[in-house]
Amino acid sequence: MGLYQSKPLKEVLRENKRMINRAIRELDREKAGLEREEKRLTIEIKKAAKENQMSSVKVMAKDLVRTRQYITKFIEMRSHLQGVSLKLQTVKSHQAMAEAMQSTAVAMKKMNKAINVPTIAKMMAEFEKENARTEMMQEAMGDAIDDALAEEDTAEEEERIVGQVLDEIGISFGEELPEASMSKPVGAQTNGPTKVAEPAGGVGSNDPALSDLESRLNNLKR
């Protein structure tokens, strides 16, 4: 423990990981050399067996077995070193997370000190009050505008409906609407077009189209 007291944890973890990686590379080199030796021994054993040199075959077979055992041990050692390296990486990640949380806690503490909660509450209350006043003013202005335009809109709507009714029965505003009039003597002359004498009840009482027109106009006046 005394060796690492003067160094920060990040530096210690970096050095240990570098050392483990160096050891893994060395194991890989040694394992590659043993694999080459294994191939050489296999070739020599086959050659001696063909020449019927059984004593040499037995000796080289023992060497081949030991070589394969060491290769297996190197593979196991490499696996252990990789496991240690992963543990160091996990510790490093935990250390980084702890430092980040510590920095966040310090920042949040400073922010909480800088924020004045009563002032914010007062500001929000004033905002709600002014917002309510603004909405009331907008509603009042909208009602005033609607009242000012209501009569004009109604007159335009009435004219439009009357026009639709007259169009349905084939009469335009430029034409004279037939009216009920008193009976005139036969042959009476006027300056305007000659009109046929009508009964006292008027034409409207007998004409369904004019009766419907009169009914719609009466409904518009109500």
Side-chain angles (χ1 to χ4, degrees), residues 47-173:
K47 183 179 179 180
K50 288 180 180 181
E51 295 175 357
N52 200 15
Q53 297 178 2
M54 301 308 299
S55 58
S56 299
V57 169
K58 292 180 180 179
V59 172
M60 288 187 291
K62 292 180 180 179
D63 291 338
L64 180 61
V65 171
R66 283 195 296 267
T67 302
R68 289 178 175 175
Q69 289 176 351
Y70 280 115
I71 291 174
T72 304
K73 288 181 180 180
F74 284 159
I75 293 173
E76 292 177 357
M77 292 174 63
R78 190 180 189 281
S79 177
H80 293 326
L81 288 175
Q82 284 182 337
V84 173
S85 178
L86 291 175
K87 288 182 180 180
L88 287 176
Q89 185 64 34
T90 303
V91 172
K92 185 179 179 180
S93 300
H94 289 169
Q95 177 65 19
M97 184 177 63
E99 291 178 356
M101 293 179 66
Q102 183 179 4
S103 301
T104 304
V106 172
M108 292 177 65
K109 185 176 180 181
K110 291 181 179 179
M111 290 176 62
N112 291 332
K113 287 182 179 180
I115 295 174
N116 191 345
V117 178
T119 302
I120 294 177
K122 182 179 179 181
M123 180 180 64
M124 294 301 298
E126 292 179 355
F127 173 79
E128 292 179 359
K129 180 180 178 181
E130 296 299 328
N131 188 34
R133 290 181 60 186
T134 302
E135 291 180 356
M136 292 177 63
M137 290 176 61
Q138 291 178 353
E139 184 176 357
M141 291 178 64
D143 293 341
I145 294 174
D146 292 340
D147 294 339
L149 299 179
E151 184 175 356
E152 181 180 355
D153 293 341
T154 302
E156 293 179 357
E157 185 67 17
E158 289 178 357
E159 292 180 2
R160 186 179 65 83
I161 293 174
V162 171
Q164 289 179 355
V165 173
L166 295 178
D167 291 339
E168 289 177 2
I169 62 175
I171 299 176
S172 63
F173 284 105

Side-chain angles (χ1 to χ4, degrees), residues 3 7 22:
L3 295 176
K7 294 182 180 181
R22 189 183 303 115

Side-chain angles (χ1 to χ4, degrees), residues 171-183:
I171 299 176
S172 63
F173 284 105
E175 298 177 356
E176 183 181 358
L177 294 176
E179 298 178 354
S181 59
M182 299 296 294
S183 299

